[in-house]
Amino acid sequence: QVQLVESGGGLVQAGGSLTLSCTASGYSLANLVIGWFRQAPGKEREGISFINNGDHHTYYEDSVRGRFSISRDNARNTGYLQMNSLKPEDTAVYYCATGPVATVLPAYYRTWGQGTQVSVSS
């Protein structure tokens, strides 16, 4: 089956770091955009970052720019989100997704991971 499997979530203290991984099976990520999204309690799902397929251009929302770093390893069919200087307001369920368009709008993504919880304590 075509699917994305996420890992790497957990509980960390403010200022700490986590790396999320997103591995595809059943299809290749090489020519697709990889996006990361999060949904905090009581809030809408928001796109926070993406990385392009061809030129590996990256984009970050203001809330995470300078703290998070997105990357990909096409040979491993995997995308990553390195999260540094974590804040309590980063607490959310994080989702990876893949699709054909470089955007943070979730409607353009075709395949989604199952979500992984990231909790940041004070």
Side-chain angles (χ1 to χ4, degrees):
Q1 292 182 342
V2 172
Q3 62 179 6
L4 286 170
V5 178
E6 301 180 40
S7 63
L11 174 64
V12 297
Q13 291 186 324
S17 298
L18 284 174
T19 299
L20 306 183
S21 298
C22 177
T23 299
S25 61
Y27 71 109
S28 174
L29 297 182
N31 296 313
L32 293 171
V33 178
I34 302 171
W36 285 93
F37 302 78
R38 66 185 182 186
Q39 188 164 18
K43 296 185 178 181
E44 298 294 318
R45 185 173 300 185
E46 63 169 341
I48 57 172
S49 183
F50 67 77
I51 182 166
N52 241 345
N53 52 315
D55 59 4
H56 284 37
H57 169 75
T58 58
Y59 170 82
Y60 303 93
E61 286 287 304
D62 290 344
S63 59
V64 306
R65 186 177 294 115
R67 299 188 297 120
F68 292 10
S69 180
I70 190 170
S71 62
R72 62 193 298 159
D73 186 341
N74 289 340
R76 301 179 71 88
N77 225 25
T78 299
Y80 304 93
L81 185 69
Q82 175 68 49
M83 304 184 295
N84 300 315
S85 302
L86 283 162
K87 305 174 180 179
E89 50 263 46
D90 294 318
T91 295
V93 177
Y94 283 71
Y95 300 88
C96 62
T98 60
V101 179
T103 178
V104 295
L105 298 177
Y108 288 89
Y109 287 82
R110 304 295 300 277
T111 307
W112 290 80
Q114 82 280 10
T116 185
Q117 177 70 47
V118 172
S119 299
V120 184
S121 62
S122 300

